[in-house]
Amino acid sequence: ALRRVEVRDGPLATLAHNFGSRAKQLAVLNFDFNKLTKLPTSMGTMSSLHTLYASFNNIATVPSGMWSLPELFDFDLSSNEIGHTFSRATLSLPNLHFLTLDNNSVVILPRSFHAMNIPNLVTFGISGNNIQHLPEDIGSFKATLEEVFAARTNLTSLPSTMQALTRLKTLDVRNNSLFSLPVWIPGLNNLMQTGSFTVSGNPLCSNGWVSSEACPPILQRVLEGGTTGCTPQCSDYCSVLQFENYGCDYECFSAECQFDNGQCLE
């Protein structure tokens, strides 16, 4: 009847080949900050798995069955090496709400990255990869997607289908290669009025576009004011949301970010 396993911050390098079949009721796994290089095939049969955190390992292999687990809700594999594995994945995750794949050398998102296959996706993190272009199918998530983190991914433009994401309230595209923004951005009311829109480190913040007639007035106010827009954050990895939220976020664990506003020192 084991439901939760946490083995963090250690030398864990392997999991038994039958790990996923030994405890059928396992719902939460946390293997952050270890030395895992792969997840065993048996984990693809964990039909009760709800949450998997395995960031900061060396994972290059993920069993294909994990991309179709029926109860998986929160999946964080940031800072691993699953770029090629993810690009070939066939996604079918009906209950997935949070998917974080930062820093994995992802170049191409799988063709199955579509709302038909992930109908409840709320947060998508793909920062620190090399995708260059967000897929046109990202607009299919218009009924659910609220947060997109795509900083440091060599983006040169944003797909026009993103204008369908009317629920979007967080868009982090810092440190990319955006020289301007599309005219439809101001139409994303949740993002413009009460959301977090961060674009610092892009050419558009220094090439005069922000103050030009091409930049709509409402967007100019967003880009030039407050703690979002073109205003640099405390570091390239920590966002204003992480800095202001509750709890210690490892992205903000630095002197420049006051160790996540002091929360990592408590």
Side-chain angles (χ1 to χ4, degrees):
L2 187 65
R3 299 296 181 92
R4 184 185 190 101
V5 172
E6 293 196 28
V7 184
R8 290 176 44 109
D9 305 282
L12 182 66
T14 60
L15 295 171
H17 70 90
N18 59 350
F19 177 87
S21 59
R22 293 293 297 274
K24 294 293 187 180
Q25 301 301 315
L26 270 174
V28 178
L29 296 176
N30 190 333
F31 296 132
D32 286 346
F33 295 94
N34 279 289
K35 300 182 184 301
L36 293 172
T37 58
K38 65 179 181 179
L39 300 177
T41 302
S42 61
M43 288 186 65
T45 66
M46 300 181 69
S47 58
S48 297
L49 189 62
H50 176 276
T51 300
L52 174 60
Y53 298 145
S55 63
F56 288 91
N57 282 274
N58 300 305
I59 299 170
T61 303
V62 177
S64 59
M66 294 208 70
W67 303 114
S68 58
L69 292 178
E71 298 298 328
L72 194 59
F73 180 86
D74 192 349
F75 198 9
D76 185 349
L77 282 175
S78 55
S79 297
N80 280 285
E81 301 172 11
I82 68 161
H84 294 297
T85 300
F86 181 65
S87 296
R88 298 192 300 266
T90 300
L91 307 176
S92 179
L93 297 161
N95 286 304
L96 190 69
H97 282 57
F98 306 99
L99 179 61
T100 308
L101 299 173
D102 300 343
N103 307 315
N104 268 289
S105 300
V106 176
V107 176
I108 301 174
L109 297 186
R111 294 182 178 180
S112 53
F113 184 76
H114 193 281
M116 292 188 301
N117 304 312
I118 319 175
N120 290 296
L121 188 65
V122 174
T123 299
F124 180 50
I126 197 69
S127 295
N129 288 284
N130 191 27
I131 58 174
Q132 298 186 352
H133 303 283
L134 291 171
E136 290 293 329
D137 285 342
I138 197 168
S140 68
F141 296 94
K142 59 185 178 181
T144 60
L145 195 60
E146 297 182 4
E147 297 180 315
V148 174
F149 298 92
R152 311 182 313 281
T153 58
N154 293 317
L155 292 180
T156 58
S157 63
L158 299 176
S160 60
T161 57
M162 286 190 73
Q163 61 188 302
L165 302 178
T166 56
R167 297 176 64 92
L168 195 66
K169 59 183 181 182
T170 299
L171 180 58
D172 183 353
V173 288
R174 290 175 293 162
N175 302 305
N176 282 293
S177 299
L178 300 172
F179 283 83
S180 63
L181 292 171
V183 296
W184 46 260
I185 281 283
L188 299 176
N189 293 329
N190 287 331
L191 184 64
M192 290 294 102
Q193 297 177 9
T194 60
S196 174
F197 182 37
T198 50
V199 295
S200 62
N202 281 281
L204 67 90
C205 290
S206 57
N207 64 6
W209 179 82
V210 173
S211 57
S212 72
E213 293 182 359
C215 181
I218 183 175
L219 184 54
Q220 184 173 339
R221 290 195 297 271
V222 170
L223 296 179
E224 292 182 341
T227 56
T228 60
C230 286
T231 304
Q233 308 299 299
C234 59
S235 82
D236 289 344
Y237 304 99
C238 179
S239 71
V240 63
L241 293 177
Q242 293 165 318
F243 185 78
E244 295 177 347
N245 70 0
Y246 177 77
C248 173
D249 296 287
Y250 59 78
E251 296 92 342
C252 305
F253 188 73
S254 65
E256 295 81 3
C257 295
Q258 304 168 39
F259 298 101
D260 199 1
N261 205 14
Q263 295 187 95
C264 293
L265 303 178
E266 295 177 355

